[in-house]
Amino acid sequence: MTQWYAVAAAVLAVLSLTAAARYRAVTVTLRRRLAEQQRELDGLRTVLDAELARRGAETAAVQQEQELTAATQRAFLSVARRILVMAHDQQAGLDEMERTHDDPALLDGLLKADHAAAQQARLAQTLAVLCGARAGRHWPEPVALEDVVRGAQSRILPFQRVVVRSRLETAVVAAAAEALIHAVAELLDNATRYSPPSTQVFVTLIPVHNGAVIEIDDAGVGMPEQAVEKAATALAGGSGLEVSRLGEVPQLGLAAVGRLAEQYGFRVTLSSAPSPYGGVRVVVLLPNALLTEPLPTSAGGQPADGAVPATAARRT
């Protein structure tokens, strides 16, 4: 029996030693794995801290840029409104002089000065639109579509080059009239600016099943595909005034047209195919929601309620 006890004790001792060795081995392995996981966790924490710092810096930079852009837009809007006021005052003074003088040479000079003031007002209004403002003037009544085009024509310097065809008996709702006048004026200015001064720009009014169309055709040299794509992007709307992207010779007109089209619900497209006159064709689609019946006219051809015709729109 004593031998059996001795053997059992030896076996137990061996088992205890084996268990202790295994425990130590498992403990060492677990500690090593824990240390490795801790190092991995520290590495991930370092990467996470760096990423959070980077994103925080980016967010701060974006926020600073947005604040700078907003401050710039407010400054441009303030300048634009001051220019508008000065242009309106200048036009009012010119109007008074036109009424009190009948010398043909003097009147011709006054009209030229009047048109120059209208260009200042249009440029200021374009800046205001790109800064987030809506069209400046509010017409009290619907404006005949032809008068909209005539009003736009009166806001460009070479207005004599514009030929309006196809009289259309429809009107633009009062809320959208000023926006459309300004947009068409910018398109006419662009068409006359980039076509030979000896050529004409043709404007055609066409009824369509879902509204009306204003087609503007010039006789310029056309536009390369890249320029057409750039112009189409501007006309799609959504672009605001960003000083860093203005360039040395800012092109603001098409961007303002795109903003107005987006705000008021009409669509402007530029065709890459040459117009019938060899230049560029721009199409303005007015949905039925922006159109209404024209105002009744009196025997003298003026609106019966005395509304101001759109040809006086250059005063805005």
Side-chain angles (χ1 to χ4, degrees), residues 123-158:
L123 177 58
Q125 187 59 47
T126 292
L127 284 173
V129 168
L130 290 177
C131 290
R134 296 181 74 84
R137 177 177 179 137
H138 299 284
W139 291 90
E141 299 288 349
V143 179
L145 185 56
E146 184 177 358
D147 283 342
V148 164
V149 176
R150 297 292 185 190
Q153 179 184 1
S154 71
R155 296 188 186 186
I156 69 171
L157 198 57

PDB file of all heavy atoms in Angstrom, residues 123-158:
ATOM      1  N   LEU A 123     -25.598  94.921 -65.170  1.00  0.00           N
ATOM      2  CA  LEU A 123     -24.443  94.268 -64.561  1.00  0.00           C
ATOM      3  C   LEU A 123     -24.595  94.173 -63.047  1.00  0.00           C
ATOM      4  O   LEU A 123     -24.303  93.130 -62.438  1.00  0.00           O
ATOM      5  CB  LEU A 123     -23.165  95.026 -64.910  1.00  0.00           C
ATOM      6  CG  LEU A 123     -21.871  94.503 -64.277  1.00  0.00           C
ATOM      7  CD1 LEU A 123     -21.626  93.055 -64.654  1.00  0.00           C
ATOM      8  CD2 LEU A 123     -20.689  95.371 -64.672  1.00  0.00           C
ATOM      9  N   ALA A 124     -25.084  95.254 -62.430  1.00  0.00           N
ATOM     10  CA  ALA A 124     -25.295  95.234 -60.986  1.00  0.00           C
ATOM     11  C   ALA A 124     -26.335  94.196 -60.608  1.00  0.00           C
ATOM     12  O   ALA A 124     -26.185  93.472 -59.615  1.00  0.00           O
ATOM     13  CB  ALA A 124     -25.724  96.616 -60.501  1.00  0.00           C
ATOM     14  N   GLN A 125     -27.404  94.079 -61.412  1.00  0.00           N
ATOM     15  CA  GLN A 125     -28.432  93.090 -61.125  1.00  0.00           C
ATOM     16  C   GLN A 125     -27.889  91.674 -61.306  1.00  0.00           C
ATOM     17  O   GLN A 125     -28.240  90.759 -60.553  1.00  0.00           O
ATOM     18  CB  GLN A 125     -29.640  93.311 -62.030  1.00  0.00           C
ATOM     19  CG  GLN A 125     -30.837  92.425 -61.699  1.00  0.00           C
ATOM     20  CD  GLN A 125     -31.325  92.638 -60.272  1.00  0.00           C
ATOM     21  OE1 GLN A 125     -31.487  93.762 -59.825  1.00  0.00           O
ATOM     22  NE2 GLN A 125     -31.547  91.556 -59.555  1.00  0.00           N
ATOM     23  N   THR A 126     -27.005  91.472 -62.281  1.00  0.00           N
ATOM     24  CA  THR A 126     -26.378  90.161 -62.469  1.00  0.00           C
ATOM     25  C   THR A 126     -25.558  89.781 -61.247  1.00  0.00           C
ATOM     26  O   THR A 126     -25.626  88.645 -60.757  1.00  0.00           O
ATOM     27  CB  THR A 126     -25.480  90.181 -63.723  1.00  0.00           C
ATOM     28  OG1 THR A 126     -26.306  90.305 -64.881  1.00  0.00           O
ATOM     29  CG2 THR A 126     -24.668  88.898 -63.844  1.00  0.00           C
ATOM     30  N   LEU A 127     -24.777  90.725 -60.728  1.00  0.00           N
ATOM     31  CA  LEU A 127     -24.007  90.467 -59.514  1.00  0.00           C
ATOM     32  C   LEU A 127     -24.935  90.121 -58.349  1.00  0.00           C
ATOM     33  O   LEU A 127     -24.657  89.203 -57.566  1.00  0.00           O
ATOM     34  CB  LEU A 127     -23.164  91.691 -59.160  1.00  0.00           C
ATOM     35  CG  LEU A 127     -21.908  91.924 -59.987  1.00  0.00           C
ATOM     36  CD1 LEU A 127     -21.279  93.257 -59.618  1.00  0.00           C
ATOM     37  CD2 LEU A 127     -20.910  90.804 -59.782  1.00  0.00           C
ATOM     38  N   ALA A 128     -26.030  90.840 -58.226  1.00  0.00           N
ATOM     39  CA  ALA A 128     -26.968  90.592 -57.138  1.00  0.00           C
ATOM     40  C   ALA A 128     -27.566  89.196 -57.243  1.00  0.00           C
ATOM     41  O   ALA A 128     -27.707  88.479 -56.241  1.00  0.00           O
ATOM     42  CB  ALA A 128     -28.074  91.648 -57.143  1.00  0.00           C
ATOM     43  N   VAL A 129     -27.915  88.781 -58.450  1.00  0.00           N
ATOM     44  CA  VAL A 129     -28.486  87.439 -58.654  1.00  0.00           C
ATOM     45  C   VAL A 129     -27.476  86.371 -58.259  1.00  0.00           C
ATOM     46  O   VAL A 129     -27.803  85.388 -57.582  1.00  0.00           O
ATOM     47  CB  VAL A 129     -28.928  87.262 -60.125  1.00  0.00           C
ATOM     48  CG1 VAL A 129     -29.233  85.792 -60.425  1.00  0.00           C
ATOM     49  CG2 VAL A 129     -30.151  88.110 -60.407  1.00  0.00           C
ATOM     50  N   LEU A 130     -26.213  86.544 -58.657  1.00  0.00           N
ATOM     51  CA  LEU A 130     -25.181  85.565 -58.327  1.00  0.00           C
ATOM     52  C   LEU A 130     -24.871  85.544 -56.838  1.00  0.00           C
ATOM     53  O   LEU A 130     -24.325  84.561 -56.330  1.00  0.00           O
ATOM     54  CB  LEU A 130     -23.908  85.862 -59.122  1.00  0.00           C
ATOM     55  CG  LEU A 130     -24.004  85.579 -60.619  1.00  0.00           C
ATOM     56  CD1 LEU A 130     -22.717  85.984 -61.321  1.00  0.00           C
ATOM     57  CD2 LEU A 130     -24.295  84.107 -60.878  1.00  0.00           C
ATOM     58  N   CYS A 131     -25.221  86.607 -56.139  1.00  0.00           N
ATOM     59  CA  CYS A 131     -25.043  86.659 -54.686  1.00  0.00           C
ATOM     60  C   CYS A 131     -26.264  86.125 -53.942  1.00  0.00           C
ATOM     61  O   CYS A 131     -26.332  86.235 -52.713  1.00  0.00           O
ATOM     62  CB  CYS A 131     -24.745  88.087 -54.246  1.00  0.00           C
ATOM     63  SG  CYS A 131     -23.112  88.680 -54.738  1.00  0.00           S
ATOM     64  N   GLY A 132     -27.230  85.583 -54.668  1.00  0.00           N
ATOM     65  CA  GLY A 132     -28.384  84.963 -54.031  1.00  0.00           C
ATOM     66  C   GLY A 132     -29.655  85.775 -54.040  1.00  0.00           C
ATOM     67  O   GLY A 132     -30.696  85.299 -53.576  1.00  0.00           O
ATOM     68  N   ALA A 133     -29.603  87.012 -54.547  1.00  0.00           N
ATOM     69  CA  ALA A 133     -30.811  87.841 -54.590  1.00  0.00           C
ATOM     70  C   ALA A 133     -31.711  87.400 -55.731  1.00  0.00           C
ATOM     71  O   ALA A 133     -31.266  86.779 -56.697  1.00  0.00           O
ATOM     72  CB  ALA A 133     -30.437  89.310 -54.754  1.00  0.00           C
ATOM     73  N   ARG A 134     -32.973  87.716 -55.623  1.00  0.00           N
ATOM     74  CA  ARG A 134     -33.915  87.442 -56.696  1.00  0.00           C
ATOM     75  C   ARG A 134     -33.999  88.671 -57.605  1.00  0.00           C
ATOM     76  O   ARG A 134     -33.416  89.717 -57.317  1.00  0.00           O
ATOM     77  CB  ARG A 134     -35.293  87.082 -56.117  1.00  0.00           C
ATOM     78  CG  ARG A 134     -35.261  85.794 -55.289  1.00  0.00           C
ATOM     79  CD  ARG A 134     -36.611  85.452 -54.751  1.00  0.00           C
ATOM     80  NE  ARG A 134     -37.506  84.935 -55.773  1.00  0.00           N
ATOM     81  CZ  ARG A 134     -37.536  83.658 -56.158  1.00  0.00           C
ATOM     82  NH1 ARG A 134     -36.720  82.781 -55.644  1.00  0.00           N
ATOM     83  NH2 ARG A 134     -38.387  83.258 -57.073  1.00  0.00           N
ATOM     84  N   ALA A 135     -34.715  88.504 -58.716  1.00  0.00           N
ATOM     85  CA  ALA A 135     -34.851  89.621 -59.663  1.00  0.00           C
ATOM     86  C   ALA A 135     -35.415  90.839 -58.941  1.00  0.00           C
ATOM     87  O   ALA A 135     -36.321  90.735 -58.111  1.00  0.00           O
ATOM     88  CB  ALA A 135     -35.739  89.213 -60.820  1.00  0.00           C
ATOM     89  N   GLY A 136     -34.873  92.018 -59.283  1.00  0.00           N
ATOM     90  CA  GLY A 136     -35.156  93.216 -58.506  1.00  0.00           C
ATOM     91  C   GLY A 136     -36.568  93.748 -58.602  1.00  0.00           C
ATOM     92  O   GLY A 136     -37.217  94.004 -57.597  1.00  0.00           O
ATOM     93  N   ARG A 137     -37.088  93.925 -59.820  1.00  0.00           N
ATOM     94  CA  ARG A 137     -38.371  94.595 -59.980  1.00  0.00           C
ATOM     95  C   ARG A 137     -39.532  93.605 -59.875  1.00  0.00           C
ATOM     96  O   ARG A 137     -39.420  92.459 -60.272  1.00  0.00           O
ATOM     97  CB  ARG A 137     -38.422  95.294 -61.337  1.00  0.00           C
ATOM     98  CG  ARG A 137     -39.763  95.949 -61.609  1.00  0.00           C
ATOM     99  CD  ARG A 137     -39.775  96.703 -62.911  1.00  0.00           C
ATOM    100  NE  ARG A 137     -41.078  97.284 -63.142  1.00  0.00           N
ATOM    101  CZ  ARG A 137     -41.304  98.495 -63.582  1.00  0.00           C
ATOM    102  NH1 ARG A 137     -40.286  99.280 -63.844  1.00  0.00           N
ATOM    103  NH2 ARG A 137     -42.514  98.945 -63.777  1.00  0.00           N
ATOM    104  N   HIS A 138     -40.648  94.072 -59.346  1.00  0.00           N
ATOM    105  CA  HIS A 138     -41.872  93.271 -59.275  1.00  0.00           C
ATOM    106  C   HIS A 138     -42.927  93.950 -60.149  1.00  0.00           C
ATOM    107  O   HIS A 138     -43.398  95.042 -59.839  1.00  0.00           O
ATOM    108  CB  HIS A 138     -42.361  93.149 -57.830  1.00  0.00           C
ATOM    109  CG  HIS A 138     -41.381  92.467 -56.920  1.00  0.00           C
ATOM    110  ND1 HIS A 138     -41.175  91.108 -56.921  1.00  0.00           N
ATOM    111  CD2 HIS A 138     -40.521  92.981 -56.007  1.00  0.00           C
ATOM    112  CE1 HIS A 138     -40.254  90.795 -56.040  1.00  0.00           C
ATOM    113  NE2 HIS A 138     -39.832  91.917 -55.469  1.00  0.00           N
ATOM    114  N   TRP A 139     -43.281  93.306 -61.239  1.00  0.00           N
ATOM    115  CA  TRP A 139     -44.300  93.873 -62.136  1.00  0.00           C
ATOM    116  C   TRP A 139     -45.672  93.655 -61.540  1.00  0.00           C
ATOM    117  O   TRP A 139     -45.982  92.581 -61.004  1.00  0.00           O
ATOM    118  CB  TRP A 139     -44.197  93.215 -63.501  1.00  0.00           C
ATOM    119  CG  TRP A 139     -42.931  93.598 -64.219  1.00  0.00           C
ATOM    120  CD1 TRP A 139     -41.734  92.958 -64.161  1.00  0.00           C
ATOM    121  CD2 TRP A 139     -42.745  94.735 -65.057  1.00  0.00           C
ATOM    122  NE1 TRP A 139     -40.804  93.625 -64.914  1.00  0.00           N
ATOM    123  CE2 TRP A 139     -41.399  94.722 -65.477  1.00  0.00           C
ATOM    124  CE3 TRP A 139     -43.578  95.759 -65.493  1.00  0.00           C
ATOM    125  CZ2 TRP A 139     -40.862  95.690 -66.314  1.00  0.00           C
ATOM    126  CZ3 TRP A 139     -43.049  96.728 -66.328  1.00  0.00           C
ATOM    127  CH2 TRP A 139     -41.712  96.688 -66.731  1.00  0.00           C
ATOM    128  N   PRO A 140     -46.552  94.664 -61.614  1.00  0.00           N
ATOM    129  CA  PRO A 140     -47.868  94.535 -60.989  1.00  0.00           C
ATOM    130  C   PRO A 140     -48.819  93.635 -61.772  1.00  0.00           C
ATOM    131  O   PRO A 140     -49.782  93.115 -61.208  1.00  0.00           O
ATOM    132  CB  PRO A 140     -48.388  95.982 -60.951  1.00  0.00           C
ATOM    133  CG  PRO A 140     -47.688  96.658 -62.095  1.00  0.00           C
ATOM    134  CD  PRO A 140     -46.339  96.017 -62.186  1.00  0.00           C
ATOM    135  N   GLU A 141     -48.573  93.480 -63.071  1.00  0.00           N
ATOM    136  CA  GLU A 141     -49.480  92.711 -63.925  1.00  0.00           C
ATOM    137  C   GLU A 141     -48.666  91.821 -64.863  1.00  0.00           C
ATOM    138  O   GLU A 141     -47.460  92.028 -65.041  1.00  0.00           O
ATOM    139  CB  GLU A 141     -50.368  93.651 -64.764  1.00  0.00           C
ATOM    140  CG  GLU A 141     -51.264  94.579 -63.955  1.00  0.00           C
ATOM    141  CD  GLU A 141     -52.408  93.840 -63.283  1.00  0.00           C
ATOM    142  OE1 GLU A 141     -52.630  92.652 -63.619  1.00  0.00           O
ATOM    143  OE2 GLU A 141     -53.068  94.449 -62.419  1.00  0.00           O
ATOM    144  N   PRO A 142     -49.301  90.801 -65.464  1.00  0.00           N
ATOM    145  CA  PRO A 142     -48.596  89.997 -66.472  1.00  0.00           C
ATOM    146  C   PRO A 142     -48.060  90.876 -67.600  1.00  0.00           C
ATOM    147  O   PRO A 142     -48.616  91.925 -67.916  1.00  0.00           O
ATOM    148  CB  PRO A 142     -49.681  89.036 -66.977  1.00  0.00           C
ATOM    149  CG  PRO A 142     -50.677  88.957 -65.872  1.00  0.00           C
ATOM    150  CD  PRO A 142     -50.684  90.323 -65.240  1.00  0.00           C
ATOM    151  N   VAL A 143     -46.951  90.435 -68.188  1.00  0.00           N
ATOM    152  CA  VAL A 143     -46.298  91.188 -69.262  1.00  0.00           C
ATOM    153  C   VAL A 143     -46.304  90.327 -70.524  1.00  0.00           C
ATOM    154  O   VAL A 143     -45.929  89.150 -70.485  1.00  0.00           O
ATOM    155  CB  VAL A 143     -44.849  91.550 -68.885  1.00  0.00           C
ATOM    156  CG1 VAL A 143     -44.172  92.324 -70.015  1.00  0.00           C
ATOM    157  CG2 VAL A 143     -44.827  92.359 -67.587  1.00  0.00           C
ATOM    158  N   ALA A 144     -46.771  90.902 -71.619  1.00  0.00           N
ATOM    159  CA  ALA A 144     -46.802  90.168 -72.889  1.00  0.00           C
ATOM    160  C   ALA A 144     -45.404  89.637 -73.218  1.00  0.00           C
ATOM    161  O   ALA A 144     -44.395  90.314 -72.990  1.00  0.00           O
ATOM    162  CB  ALA A 144     -47.299  91.078 -74.004  1.00  0.00           C
ATOM    163  N   LEU A 145     -45.339  88.425 -73.758  1.00  0.00           N
ATOM    164  CA  LEU A 145     -44.051  87.798 -74.035  1.00  0.00           C
ATOM    165  C   LEU A 145     -43.224  88.639 -75.000  1.00  0.00           C
ATOM    166  O   LEU A 145     -42.003  88.773 -74.836  1.00  0.00           O
ATOM    167  CB  LEU A 145     -44.271  86.389 -74.597  1.00  0.00           C
ATOM    168  CG  LEU A 145     -43.002  85.568 -74.832  1.00  0.00           C
ATOM    169  CD1 LEU A 145     -42.176  85.436 -73.564  1.00  0.00           C
ATOM    170  CD2 LEU A 145     -43.366  84.180 -75.368  1.00  0.00           C
ATOM    171  N   GLU A 146     -43.872  89.219 -76.001  1.00  0.00           N
ATOM    172  CA  GLU A 146     -43.130  90.073 -76.929  1.00  0.00           C
ATOM    173  C   GLU A 146     -42.566  91.291 -76.203  1.00  0.00           C
ATOM    174  O   GLU A 146     -41.438  91.723 -76.479  1.00  0.00           O
ATOM    175  CB  GLU A 146     -44.020  90.510 -78.088  1.00  0.00           C
ATOM    176  CG  GLU A 146     -43.260  91.320 -79.142  1.00  0.00           C
ATOM    177  CD  GLU A 146     -44.120  91.697 -80.331  1.00  0.00           C
ATOM    178  OE1 GLU A 146     -45.302  91.303 -80.371  1.00  0.00           O
ATOM    179  OE2 GLU A 146     -43.602  92.400 -81.217  1.00  0.00           O
ATOM    180  N   ASP A 147     -43.315  91.850 -75.258  1.00  0.00           N
ATOM    181  CA  ASP A 147     -42.811  92.987 -74.486  1.00  0.00           C
ATOM    182  C   ASP A 147     -41.660  92.577 -73.577  1.00  0.00           C
ATOM    183  O   ASP A 147     -40.769  93.376 -73.293  1.00  0.00           O
ATOM    184  CB  ASP A 147     -43.940  93.596 -73.646  1.00  0.00           C
ATOM    185  CG  ASP A 147     -44.879  94.453 -74.482  1.00  0.00           C
ATOM    186  OD1 ASP A 147     -44.486  94.842 -75.598  1.00  0.00           O
ATOM    187  OD2 ASP A 147     -46.006  94.719 -74.029  1.00  0.00           O
ATOM    188  N   VAL A 148     -41.690  91.333 -73.108  1.00  0.00           N
ATOM    189  CA  VAL A 148     -40.560  90.825 -72.330  1.00  0.00           C
ATOM    190  C   VAL A 148     -39.291  90.878 -73.170  1.00  0.00           C
ATOM    191  O   VAL A 148     -38.235  91.349 -72.734  1.00  0.00           O
ATOM    192  CB  VAL A 148     -40.837  89.390 -71.838  1.00  0.00           C
ATOM    193  CG1 VAL A 148     -39.550  88.712 -71.371  1.00  0.00           C
ATOM    194  CG2 VAL A 148     -41.856  89.398 -70.703  1.00  0.00           C
ATOM    195  N   VAL A 149     -39.385  90.398 -74.410  1.00  0.00           N
ATOM    196  CA  VAL A 149     -38.224  90.398 -75.296  1.00  0.00           C
ATOM    197  C   VAL A 149     -37.818  91.834 -75.642  1.00  0.00           C
ATOM    198  O   VAL A 149     -36.628  92.163 -75.678  1.00  0.00           O
ATOM    199  CB  VAL A 149     -38.516  89.581 -76.566  1.00  0.00           C
ATOM    200  CG1 VAL A 149     -37.345  89.650 -77.539  1.00  0.00           C
ATOM    201  CG2 VAL A 149     -38.809  88.133 -76.201  1.00  0.00           C
ATOM    202  N   ARG A 150     -38.806  92.695 -75.900  1.00  0.00           N
ATOM    203  CA  ARG A 150     -38.490  94.091 -76.205  1.00  0.00           C
ATOM    204  C   ARG A 150     -37.816  94.766 -75.001  1.00  0.00           C
ATOM    205  O   ARG A 150     -36.881  95.562 -75.161  1.00  0.00           O
ATOM    206  CB  ARG A 150     -39.760  94.857 -76.568  1.00  0.00           C
ATOM    207  CG  ARG A 150     -40.470  94.360 -77.804  1.00  0.00           C
ATOM    208  CD  ARG A 150     -39.688  94.610 -79.057  1.00  0.00           C
ATOM    209  NE  ARG A 150     -40.447  94.233 -80.249  1.00  0.00           N
ATOM    210  CZ  ARG A 150     -39.926  94.166 -81.459  1.00  0.00           C
ATOM    211  NH1 ARG A 150     -38.640  94.450 -81.646  1.00  0.00           N
ATOM    212  NH2 ARG A 150     -40.666  93.812 -82.488  1.00  0.00           N
ATOM    213  N   GLY A 151     -38.289  94.469 -73.810  1.00  0.00           N
ATOM    214  CA  GLY A 151     -37.665  95.021 -72.617  1.00  0.00           C
ATOM    215  C   GLY A 151     -36.230  94.549 -72.466  1.00  0.00           C
ATOM    216  O   GLY A 151     -35.335  95.325 -72.109  1.00  0.00           O
ATOM    217  N   ALA A 152     -36.008  93.263 -72.753  1.00  0.00           N
ATOM    218  CA  ALA A 152     -34.644  92.741 -72.714  1.00  0.00           C
ATOM    219  C   ALA A 152     -33.779  93.405 -73.769  1.00  0.00           C
ATOM    220  O   ALA A 152     -32.613  93.745 -73.526  1.00  0.00           O
ATOM    221  CB  ALA A 152     -34.675  91.223 -72.917  1.00  0.00           C
ATOM    222  N   GLN A 153     -34.337  93.608 -74.932  1.00  0.00           N
ATOM    223  CA  GLN A 153     -33.606  94.260 -76.029  1.00  0.00           C
ATOM    224  C   GLN A 153     -33.159  95.659 -75.625  1.00  0.00           C
ATOM    225  O   GLN A 153     -32.057  96.097 -75.965  1.00  0.00           O
ATOM    226  CB  GLN A 153     -34.501  94.307 -77.262  1.00  0.00           C
ATOM    227  CG  GLN A 153     -33.887  94.990 -78.479  1.00  0.00           C
ATOM    228  CD  GLN A 153     -34.886  95.077 -79.631  1.00  0.00           C
ATOM    229  OE1 GLN A 153     -36.036  94.656 -79.521  1.00  0.00           O
ATOM    230  NE2 GLN A 153     -34.435  95.627 -80.749  1.00  0.00           N
ATOM    231  N   SER A 154     -34.009  96.369 -74.890  1.00  0.00           N
ATOM    232  CA  SER A 154     -33.681  97.742 -74.502  1.00  0.00           C
ATOM    233  C   SER A 154     -32.566  97.809 -73.467  1.00  0.00           C
ATOM    234  O   SER A 154     -32.046  98.892 -73.194  1.00  0.00           O
ATOM    235  CB  SER A 154     -34.929  98.435 -73.945  1.00  0.00           C
ATOM    236  OG  SER A 154     -35.272  97.919 -72.674  1.00  0.00           O
ATOM    237  N   ARG A 155     -32.176  96.674 -72.887  1.00  0.00           N
ATOM    238  CA  ARG A 155     -31.142  96.672 -71.858  1.00  0.00           C
ATOM    239  C   ARG A 155     -29.752  96.347 -72.403  1.00  0.00           C
ATOM    240  O   ARG A 155     -28.806  96.222 -71.622  1.00  0.00           O
ATOM    241  CB  ARG A 155     -31.503  95.675 -70.760  1.00  0.00           C
ATOM    242  CG  ARG A 155     -32.767  96.030 -70.017  1.00  0.00           C
ATOM    243  CD  ARG A 155     -32.991  95.140 -68.824  1.00  0.00           C
ATOM    244  NE  ARG A 155     -34.289  95.396 -68.209  1.00  0.00           N
ATOM    245  CZ  ARG A 155     -34.707  94.843 -67.070  1.00  0.00           C
ATOM    246  NH1 ARG A 155     -33.908  94.013 -66.429  1.00  0.00           N
ATOM    247  NH2 ARG A 155     -35.893  95.112 -66.597  1.00  0.00           N
ATOM    248  N   ILE A 156     -29.624  96.162 -73.702  1.00  0.00           N
ATOM    249  CA  ILE A 156     -28.306  95.921 -74.273  1.00  0.00           C
ATOM    250  C   ILE A 156     -27.923  97.104 -75.156  1.00  0.00           C
ATOM    251  O   ILE A 156     -28.795  97.803 -75.688  1.00  0.00           O
ATOM    252  CB  ILE A 156     -28.251  94.598 -75.072  1.00  0.00           C
ATOM    253  CG1 ILE A 156     -29.089  94.694 -76.340  1.00  0.00           C
ATOM    254  CG2 ILE A 156     -28.691  93.434 -74.206  1.00  0.00           C
ATOM    255  CD1 ILE A 156     -28.900  93.515 -77.281  1.00  0.00           C
ATOM    256  N   LEU A 157     -26.623  97.321 -75.314  1.00  0.00           N
ATOM    257  CA  LEU A 157     -26.167  98.487 -76.055  1.00  0.00           C
ATOM    258  C   LEU A 157     -26.497  98.400 -77.546  1.00  0.00           C
ATOM    259  O   LEU A 157     -27.085  99.335 -78.096  1.00  0.00           O
ATOM    260  CB  LEU A 157     -24.663  98.679 -75.837  1.00  0.00           C
ATOM    261  CG  LEU A 157     -24.115 100.055 -76.175  1.00  0.00           C
ATOM    262  CD1 LEU A 157     -24.831 101.140 -75.379  1.00  0.00           C
ATOM    263  CD2 LEU A 157     -22.614 100.110 -75.889  1.00  0.00           C
ATOM    264  N   PRO A 158     -26.165  97.302 -78.251  1.00  0.00           N
ATOM    265  CA  PRO A 158     -26.484  97.227 -79.684  1.00  0.00           C
ATOM    266  C   PRO A 158     -27.904  96.717 -79.926  1.00  0.00           C
ATOM    267  O   PRO A 158     -28.130  95.742 -80.641  1.00  0.00           O
ATOM    268  CB  PRO A 158     -25.430  96.246 -80.214  1.00  0.00           C
ATOM    269  CG  PRO A 158     -25.166  95.336 -79.075  1.00  0.00           C
ATOM    270  CD  PRO A 158     -25.364  96.133 -77.822  1.00  0.00           C
TER     271      PRO A 158
END
